[in-house]
Amino acid sequence: MPPPGRTRRCLALLAAATTGLAVLTAGATAHADTEPADTAATGTADFYTPPSPLPEGRPGDVIRSEPSEFFLDPVKLIRPAADVYRVMYRSTDTHGEPMAVTGTVLVPHAEWRGDGDRPLVSYAPGTQGVGDHCAPSKLLRLGLEYEGPFLSGLLALGYAVVITDYEGLGTPGMHTYVNRASEGHAVLDAARAALRLPEAGLSPETPVGLAGYSQGGGASAAAAELRGEYAPELDVKGAYAGAPPADLAEVAPALDGHYAAGFLAFSLLSIEAAYPQVDLDDVLNDEGRQVLDEASDDCTADAILHHAFQRTDELTLDGRPLAEYLNEEPYASVVAEQLIGERTPDVPVFILHSRLDDIVPYAQGRQLAVDWCEQGATLTFRTSYVPSHIGGMLRAYPEAVAWLAARFDGDPAASNCGRVLGA
């Protein structure tokens, strides 16, 4: 059991999260009017343009940084007590090529009073959209980031936090939404960048936690799988992966005709951008191309408002739903590359998924737990029964924070793989 003080703080985070959800729709619809003025006033467009060529260096090296801001509300009245830095850092794309990614580093003003070094949480954000104005580093400055209250809760526990923008959010090019390798690299390299940012005051020995829900849950899970080979020097104590979209072949059909059908458009745009062998014009009719072009500038709420209940059999030349193409080349091998669960994480992992999740199917999330357990991973898997994807996020967060806190406290992680595998 976590100490009473930590339990109270976790409950406070749950209450704060409801505020964040209220910001979600307002934030995603307000950005169109707010972000251009903000950009003009502060020169942020230049910050997001990588130097060409990229400077030599290692993954996680900071290319540039500057002070930034973090507000919990769009009126900018609530500012967490933390130093805020916007960073651009080197990372590695889907195909192993260097790329520039941006993100935000948050360091609490309060002195760390725990044992050892102040921990760092590399937080993988959930679905933001694919337009450049949807980048978390931009929304945090505007008080429009719906996960802002969760981040402020981590700060309240004394943890430093780094939030990646992922590939193509803010920076040039299409965001590679739910792309396993690109996102996993971005999360791990964000932690490296935070540790190497002198202003953050962190050390190479800083204990690191990985965390995220939904798209962020998949990115955190991918990072946990990749850490041993890609970032072995990071002292990762554990990874929380909430409602991870581990198998896109199972997620895609569930989104067809769904109120979140726009998220399927995000993933199709990502595949087309990351894999030259994929040309969606081969299968899309004029309406289908128009829908994807419109989605290419959408944030989360925009996608729901603009594309809710869209059926993809209305968008293809032959009238087949797009999910049927996932069993055919070139799509089948591309989708298979995104599968999480084929590599064994060498750090403890906590997965929490609601059986009543209405966006990311529970069965494929549980299958990830089965796959990892069969490989001998240290895994805690929890099933909740809170309705909806958003409800599952609210249910998961306090328990996830308590789990991470126990890892930072040095408590050994338990595993319930025996129960997961039916032993």
Side-chain angles (χ1 to χ4, degrees), residues 125-130 134-136 139 145-147 169 215 298-300:
T127 299
Q128 307 289 306
V130 295
C134 312
L139 298 181
E145 174 51 60
Y146 69 92
E147 294 191 275
L169 273 181
Q215 178 189 4
D298 279 349
C299 296
T300 304

Side-chain angles (χ1 to χ4, degrees), residues 163-234:
I163 310 99
T164 182
D165 287 340
Y166 300 125
E167 178 182 3
L169 273 181
T171 49
M174 175 55 61
H175 169 43
T176 47
Y177 180 71
V178 294
N179 181 295
R180 178 190 60 81
S182 176
E183 291 187 346
H185 295 153
V187 170
L188 293 168
D189 288 328
R192 285 167 156 163
L195 299 184
R196 295 173 191 171
L197 182 69
E199 296 88 341
L202 304 172
S203 76
E205 290 73 38
T206 293
V208 175
L210 312 176
Y213 184 87
S214 190
Q215 178 189 4
S220 178
E225 285 191 337
L226 292 170
R227 189 213 71 95
E229 64 182 67
Y230 185 76
E233 82 283 3
L234 290 179

Side-chain angles (χ1 to χ4, degrees), residues 8 27 40 51 56 61 88 96 117 142 164 173 213 243 246 288-289 301 322 332-333 335 346 366 390 399 403 405:
R8 286 194 296 271
E56 294 295 324
D61 279 356
M88 176 182 284
D117 294 333
L142 299 174
T164 182
Y213 184 87
R289 189 73 257 179
L322 284 167
S333 57
V335 171
D346 62 355
R366 188 182 185 284
I390 292 176
E399 190 171 348
W403 186 88

Side-chain angles (χ1 to χ4, degrees), residues 9-27:
R9 287 194 295 271
C10 289
L11 292 175
L13 298 181
L14 180 58
T18 60
T19 304
L21 293 175
V23 173
L24 171 58
T25 301

Side-chain angles (χ1 to χ4, degrees), residues 76-387:
K76 299 187 176 180
L77 297 177
I78 307 173
R79 184 198 301 262
D83 293 324
V84 185
Y85 306 97
R86 182 162 43 192
V87 296
M88 176 182 284
Y89 60 92
R90 285 179 60 102
S91 190
T92 308
D93 71 9
T94 301
H95 307 292
E97 296 299 319
M99 65 176 177
V101 176
T102 51
T104 305
V105 178
L106 309 171
V107 183
H109 289 162
E111 181 181 353
W112 171 247
R113 299 187 181 279
D115 295 333
D117 294 333
R118 183 194 300 275
L120 169 71
V121 176
S122 186
Y123 194 88
T127 299
Q128 307 289 306
V130 295
D132 282 342
H133 48 274
C134 312
S137 62
K138 295 185 178 184
L139 298 181
L140 287 166
R141 296 182 67 251
L142 299 174
L144 299 176
E145 174 51 60
Y146 69 92
E147 294 191 275
F150 300 160
L151 303 174
S152 68
L154 294 170
L155 294 173
L157 292 173
Y159 306 148
V161 183
V162 60
I163 310 99
T164 182
D165 287 340
Y166 300 125
E167 178 182 3
L169 273 181
T171 49
M174 175 55 61
H175 169 43
T176 47
Y177 180 71
V178 294
N179 181 295
R180 178 190 60 81
S182 176
E183 291 187 346
H185 295 153
V187 170
L188 293 168
D189 288 328
R192 285 167 156 163
L195 299 184
R196 295 173 191 171
L197 182 69
E199 296 88 341
L202 304 172
S203 76
E205 290 73 38
T206 293
V208 175
L210 312 176
Y213 184 87
S214 190
Q215 178 189 4
S220 178
E225 285 191 337
L226 292 170
R227 189 213 71 95
E229 64 182 67
Y230 185 76
E233 82 283 3
L234 290 179
D235 184 18
V236 177
K237 300 299 185 182
Y240 157 59
D247 186 350
L248 300 189
E250 297 296 327
V251 177
L255 291 176
D256 201 335
H258 190 279
Y259 72 81
F263 298 178
L264 179 56
F266 292 164
S267 64
L268 292 169
L269 287 164
S270 165
I271 287 173
E272 186 175 47
Y275 293 92
Q277 66 268 38
V278 171
D279 184 355
L280 291 172
D281 287 341
D282 292 341
V283 300
L284 293 176
N285 59 26
D286 290 343
E287 182 183 359
R289 189 73 257 179
Q290 180 180 349
V291 166
L292 259 64
D293 288 346
E294 291 172 352
S296 68
D297 199 43
D298 279 349
C299 296
T300 304
D302 300 320
I304 294 174
L305 292 171
H306 299 160
H307 305 295
F309 310 114
Q310 176 71 64
R311 293 175 54 88
T312 62
D313 58 8
E314 300 170 349
L315 308 180
T316 59
L317 291 169
D318 61 6
R320 289 193 295 159
L322 284 167
E324 288 191 12
Y325 288 93
L326 301 186
N327 297 319
E328 304 171 2
E329 293 299 345
Y331 305 97
S333 57
V334 167
V335 171
E337 281 189 30
Q338 315 316 318
L339 184 65
I340 304 171
E342 295 188 323
R343 302 155 189 83
T344 308
D346 62 355
V347 299
V349 183
F350 172 61
I351 299 176
L352 198 152
H353 205 150
S354 173
R355 191 178 287 274
L356 303 179
D357 194 311
D358 60 341
I359 291 180
V360 180
Y362 169 83
Q364 58 85 52
R366 188 182 185 284
Q367 184 60 50
L368 170 61
V370 170
D371 292 341
W372 276 347
C373 283
E374 289 178 341
Q375 296 165 25
T378 299
L379 174 72
T380 301
F381 179 77
R382 294 273 189 271
T383 299
S384 76
Y385 294 87
V386 177

